[in-house]
Amino acid sequence: SVVIEARDVKLSFGRTPALRGATLSVSAGEIVAVMGPSGSGKSTLLHCLAGILVPDSGEIHFAGNRVDTLTEAARSSLRRDRFGFVFQFGQLVPELTAAENVALPLLLSGVRRPRALRRAYAWFERLGLDGLEQRRSGELSGGQAQRVALARGLVAEPQVLFADEPTGALDSLTGEQVMDLLVSAAREQGTTVILVTHEPRIAAYADREVMVRDGRVNAPDRIAS
Ligand code: ADP
Ligand code: ADP
């Protein structure tokens, strides 16, 4: 069953068209890699699906409901309650400990601090981060920080995880370790994943790859012809 989709989405930044009629449909539990050259519209498509950007035209649907017609407040609640995010540079809050960073989405959803921290702590062993719970996030290595960011993206058990170049700042071995963890945690939770990457080795972790070219989505085989 389809959980999230973009239908003929168009969006320009001023006079720069970023999406020119992008259509993508993703099934529940599916891991989709969105590939394509720099500037092709991958991040913009992810931001539209996630309700961060509102298209100029076209439709975004999540769990059978229109997203693009919601108010900013409603889209913000949807992001908080149903979606998780991981970005290229972890974007952890440097003043907080690693565990507090992971707990953040729960705290923002109104989970009380002791319970939120308990749930956050449970991720550390699972991600091979034992003993790092109390570190300031600025004291973590790149690979550790990205695993913490992954835990933060998944801790609230989102229906959809949006991952924009989650391994882009890592060396290839560390990147593959993060992808292994991402995929196994997502499968365990049944989380749908939209993974933006330009690296074929990272896209290979997905169930399906789609290619964005000039603001449109194509299956990779159609690009070749
Ligand atoms: P990708 O993720 O594939 O690299 P993006 O979606 O980031 O592509 O960008 C698509 C196009 O939109 C590019 O031409 C980019 O420069 C432009 N763009 C993206 N974000 C903005 C923005 N906030 N303001 C102006 N132009 C933007
Ligand atoms: P990515 O391709 O991974 O999205 P970029 O470096 O292209 O990374 O973009 C980083 C940020 O800058 C994004 O938030 C994007 O929306 C914004 N951006 C990209 N291109 C432009 C642009 N031409 N003008 C203004 N903002 C832009």
Side-chain angles (χ1 to χ4, degrees):
S1 64
V2 172
V3 66
I4 192 160
E5 61 180 327
R7 293 187 193 163
D8 197 23
V9 165
K10 297 178 183 163
L11 187 148
S12 295
F13 294 101
R15 300 176 127 191
T16 308
L19 296 176
R20 303 169 185 252
T23 295
L24 176 66
S25 189
V26 179
S27 301
E30 196 179 20
I31 300 179
V32 174
V34 177
M35 302 193 66
S38 182
S40 58
K42 303 182 295 297
S43 292
T44 305
L45 176 60
L46 181 145
H47 291 152
C48 287
L49 287 165
I52 295 168
L53 287 172
V54 175
D56 299 330
S57 68
E59 300 178 3
I60 304 292
H61 293 247
F62 168 71
N65 299 307
R66 283 285 286 272
V67 171
D68 54 286
T69 50
L70 297 175
T71 62
E72 168 56 34
R75 281 183 286 111
S76 168
S77 313
L78 183 68
R79 294 196 296 270
R80 192 190 58 210
D81 298 336
R82 304 273 181 242
F83 299 159
F85 296 90
V86 189
F87 300 104
Q88 178 169 1
F89 302 102
Q91 297 183 354
L92 302 176
V93 182
E95 295 80 13
L96 299 181
T97 65
E100 287 168 337
N101 268 281
V102 174
L104 215 46
L106 297 172
L107 294 169
L108 293 174
S109 297
V111 176
R112 285 170 191 275
R113 188 177 163 90
R115 182 174 161 72
L117 282 173
R118 218 178 315 121
R119 282 177 65 182
Y121 267 71
W123 280 87
F124 282 76
E125 184 178 5
R126 183 171 179 188
L127 297 184
L129 297 171
D130 261 350
L132 299 181
E133 296 86 347
Q134 306 278 15
R135 289 274 177 90
R136 301 283 148 193
S137 60
E139 298 164 358
L140 301 173
S141 73
Q144 290 167 346
Q146 224 31 11
R147 280 184 272 174
V148 169
L150 175 59
R152 187 180 57 182
L154 288 169
V155 71
E157 302 187 8
Q159 274 176 271
V160 183
L161 179 73
F162 293 95
D164 195 348
E165 302 276 9
T167 63
L170 305 177
D171 64 73
S172 59
L173 176 62
T174 310
E176 289 180 23
Q177 289 168 345
V178 168
M179 282 308 300
D180 273 328
L181 292 166
L182 187 158
V183 167
S184 59
R187 295 242 190 268
E188 215 168 289
Q189 292 191 169
T191 306
T192 304
V193 179
I194 314 248
L195 165 72
V196 165
T197 181
H198 61 271
E199 295 178 72
R201 285 164 64 117
I202 296 302
Y205 284 85
D207 300 320
R208 175 162 67 105
E209 296 174 18
V210 299
M211 187 71 81
V212 178
R213 283 278 169 96
D214 293 332
R216 292 191 184 84
V217 185
N218 291 108
D221 52 311
R222 285 183 52 200
I223 296 295
S225 61

